[in-house]
Amino acid sequence: MEIQTLNVSKLVDNCNRQLNYLRLSITDRCNLQCRYCVPQDLIPKLSKDEILTYEEILRVVRIATRLGISKVRVTGGEPLVRKGVYEFLHELTATEGLKDVSLTTNGVLLKDNLEKIQAAGISRINISLDTLNPAKYREITGYDEFDSVWQGIEQAHQMGFYPIKLNIVALKGINDEELVEMARLSFRYPFHVRFIEYMPIGQSDFNPDSLLLAPEIKNRISAMGNLVTIQEAEHDGPAQRYKYEDAIGEIGFIPALSQHFCNKCNRLRLTASGQLRPCLLSDHQEDLKEALRQDCSDRQLAEIFIKAVRHKPSDHNLVAKNPARVYGQMRAIGG
Ligand code: SAM
């Protein structure tokens, strides 16, 4: 392949971080409307023409693997609402050079589609679940879907999906009363229960007083038992991993604001509209879509990757209590 003549075998940025992980947002549409993610006044959705076709995404992934990407996570918006997603997942997992393909979903459509997901070769799923209380679920997401999501989680567990990571955005005054109960799930199930700090991305109806940082969450859930650190593995993501003694699952914290993990960030993101973003928390992006639609060569696409990598900031500049925001919407960038 002509990319090889670029003499770049790996995507290594200016801070010597090797980028091997690509997050793919395949749609900006979602079947929930979480208060902290999207504002009440709907913002316009991308038209069909504006989002990359599956063929375009697969081409980008093939090039990315030639450049050293070996891990891909499919996200959105809600990836399972896009037509044709299961066939796409099949093709994606067959891409040469990809060692790990996983999925992030809100779980609403999970229970009826787990077999298709498994048949596509995916066993690692992250499911967003901010509460265990159905009424609160409706309050946060705008929809009465708690039961479907929970059934999907239980069924995924029974079918052998592993690891199942439950992602909880911890919000003061909204779900903080439940943090201990959620952490307790790790005694009943081998789930990875992960607490995520809210990040100021796009417009939303988030009240900054709700911000709850990882050290405080850890403090609160430590009341239930001693949290033992799990030794980091080489390709661990940003989660700080712990385990209660005697638990079968894990606890994780994703302290995006309180403790930057930028120094070990190995990610690039492809947005639903074909923009390559070197950092979730910075608005810099490189346009792959235009290049794809102008019949560019693989080499030209690879060059766009390399340009994006050069722009990867050493650090995001957001800190807790800093009002700075990222303008792109989470659901289009891909969380
Ligand atoms: N629809 C899928 C889902 O719900 O998992 C994938 C997309 S969603 C944007 C991915 C994750 O981002 C979810 O866990 C969601 O809670 C989280 N999220 C959305 N907005 C966020 C924000 N401002 N700060 C932190 N996490 C956020």
Side-chain angles (χ1 to χ4, degrees), residues 65-261:
T65 56
R66 293 296 184 109
L67 295 169
I69 296 288
S70 57
K71 190 171 164 184
V72 161
R73 174 172 292 280
V74 178
T75 179
E78 171 48 39
L80 301 188
V81 300
R82 183 160 173 189
K83 218 169 143 194
V85 61
Y86 304 104
E87 294 76 9
F88 164 72
L89 292 177
H90 238 288
E91 290 193 55
L92 181 66
T93 56
T95 307
E96 204 185 316
L98 275 191
K99 298 197 183 105
D100 182 347
V101 179
S102 55
L103 176 73
T104 292
T105 172
N106 58 32
V108 171
L109 297 175
L110 205 52
K111 71 178 159 55
D112 297 325
N113 294 297
L114 281 161
E115 274 160 24
K116 286 184 255 174
I117 296 170
Q118 202 164 53
I122 291 185
S123 60
R124 299 160 57 80
I125 41 179
N126 286 11
I127 303 161
S128 305
L129 187 69
D130 297 325
T131 173
L132 295 173
N133 173 333
K136 182 133 294 177
Y137 187 90
R138 188 193 170 85
E139 204 184 299
I140 297 174
T141 67
Y143 291 84
D144 234 342
E145 294 286 3
F146 176 81
D147 290 344
S148 323
V149 175
W150 187 255
Q151 283 167 29
I153 293 171
E154 291 252 23
Q155 218 163 296
H157 169 52
Q158 280 153 22
M159 285 173 67
F161 281 84
Y162 185 83
I164 294 175
K165 298 184 183 174
L166 299 186
N167 286 340
I168 303 147
V169 178
L171 301 165
K172 208 177 275 176
I174 297 181
N175 60 1
D176 58 333
E177 297 285 297
E178 287 186 72
L179 301 180
V180 168
E181 203 185 327
M182 302 205 78
R184 191 171 289 134
L185 288 173
S186 70
F187 285 95
R188 277 177 51 206
Y189 299 92
F191 299 159
H192 296 195
V193 178
R194 310 188 329 154
F195 298 98
I196 301 175
E197 287 177 359
Y198 167 83
M199 293 171 273
I201 300 175
Q203 302 167 50
S204 77
D205 295 328
F206 179 75
N207 170 358
D209 293 341
S210 301
L211 193 62
L212 195 56
L213 300 178
E216 186 179 342
I217 306 169
K218 184 168 174 234
N219 205 16
R220 291 202 198 184
I221 67 166
S222 293
M224 199 176 50
N226 189 24
L227 282 172
V228 182
T229 307
I230 296 179
Q231 214 51 48
E232 253 180 60
E234 195 189 343
H235 293 298
D236 266 0
Q240 298 172 348
R241 297 169 61 196
Y242 297 87
K243 195 174 181 306
Y244 291 109
E245 284 153 6
D246 303 328
I248 49 175
E250 289 189 17
I251 299 294
F253 299 101
I254 309 202
L257 296 187
S258 63
Q259 283 157 288
H260 283 198
F261 39 76

